[in-house]
Amino acid sequence: MDNSSEPLDFSLLPDVSDLYPETDDPDEQMIAASSAHMQARANALHYIFGKSHPEDSVWPPPKDHDLFINWPGGAIMCFPPQADRNNWYFVTHGLSQPPMEEDDLIPAALDNYLDWREANDEEPVSGWGIELVISTRDFCDWPFNILLNLVEYLLFDDSQIILPGHRLPLAGPIGPATNPLLNHLLAITSSEYPSNIRLPGGLCSLIHLVGATESEIKHARRLKNPGSL
């Protein structure tokens, strides 16, 4: 699939009137609008990665009250190998959800992220403006744990937005039965799929996370402007 710089266009809000009939209630209108944004994003991810596993389902986060409140509708989508693609893909679904009220904090307004967008001459972003992706050869549980930990890191630690070139040190190997030397994550733009999506709320970039060793990270630090966390 072409990974050109032109974003895939999923900017039109889908019709969700079958689930949310027209109403004058502001709260119900906000719920319907939020659902339409989530559906647009799910449609984009299905277009890129195919059918989800389980089909037409998401993997919800743990029943963590703080995460539930601060990541409304957030979950992880899982996509099995299909067509000419051999890997499983695990993708966050909710970081690019736009705020429904004007006074909501938009984390993408953090200075470093705005500077990055301005330097790349890009449009306004939707919510955080990113979703995180991990791919593996086989289905396993550890990508869910890492992605949820990173969501909590972004939401609760007043953290930088994770952008291509950033390096994330881990407390240990990325997962069970993985190379024990893979104790870092490197954020990149993948050539395997389109990385930019235009959603109803603005742009979203898919940030691909790959395992890296200490020696690989040392090499990355020698590169020009590699970024870091």
Side-chain angles (χ1 to χ4, degrees), residues 147-165:
L147 291 174
L148 287 176
N149 286 339
L150 289 175
V151 170
E152 292 178 341
Y153 164 81
L154 289 168
L155 290 176
F156 305 130
D157 289 350
D158 194 24
S159 307
Q160 298 182 55
I161 304 295
I162 299 172
L163 300 174

Side-chain angles (χ1 to χ4, degrees), residues 56-191:
D56 297 326
S57 299
V58 297
W59 294 74
K63 295 180 180 180
D64 181 305
H65 178 73
D66 288 339
L67 190 58
F68 177 79
I69 294 299
N70 289 277
W71 196 30
I76 294 173
M77 298 187 75
C78 177
F79 301 92
Q82 40 205 306
D84 58 348
R85 196 178 65 231
N86 297 320
N87 289 345
W88 288 77
Y89 286 83
F90 305 82
V91 188
T92 60
H93 178 48
L95 288 173
S96 58
Q97 184 75 354
M100 292 292 106
E101 298 182 2
E102 290 184 2
D103 58 351
D104 284 351
L105 173 67
I106 303 177
L110 293 173
D111 288 343
N112 76 302
Y113 193 51
L114 284 181
D115 290 345
W116 183 80
R117 304 300 299 199
E118 183 177 350
N120 286 273
D121 193 28
E122 298 196 66
E123 305 168 29
V125 297
S126 181
W128 291 74
I130 63 170
E131 297 292 350
L132 303 175
V133 184
I134 291 177
S135 66
T136 63
R137 179 65 67 178
D138 301 307
F139 178 85
C140 44
D141 292 332
W142 61 261
F144 295 104
N145 298 328
I146 285 186
L147 291 174
L148 287 176
N149 286 339
L150 289 175
V151 170
E152 292 178 341
Y153 164 81
L154 289 168
L155 290 176
F156 305 130
D157 289 350
D158 194 24
S159 307
Q160 298 182 55
I161 304 295
I162 299 172
L163 300 174
H166 283 175
R167 306 177 296 269
L168 295 84
L170 304 176
I174 58 176
T178 61
N179 184 340
L181 297 179
L182 293 174
N183 56 5
H184 289 71
L185 288 172
L186 184 63
I188 65 171
T189 299
S190 176
S191 61

Side-chain angles (χ1 to χ4, degrees), residues 206-223:
L206 299 180
I207 308 299
H208 197 101
L209 303 171
V210 297
T213 66
E214 182 66 37
S215 62
E216 289 170 332
I217 292 300
K218 287 181 178 178
H219 175 72
R221 289 193 184 105
R222 294 194 292 268
L223 300 178

Side-chain angles (χ1 to χ4, degrees), residues 13-14 16 19-20 30-40 97 100:
L13 282 173
V16 294
L19 298 175
Y20 303 94
M30 186 171 66
I31 292 172
S34 178
S35 176
H37 279 274
M38 287 190 285
Q39 185 61 56
Q97 184 75 354
M100 292 292 106

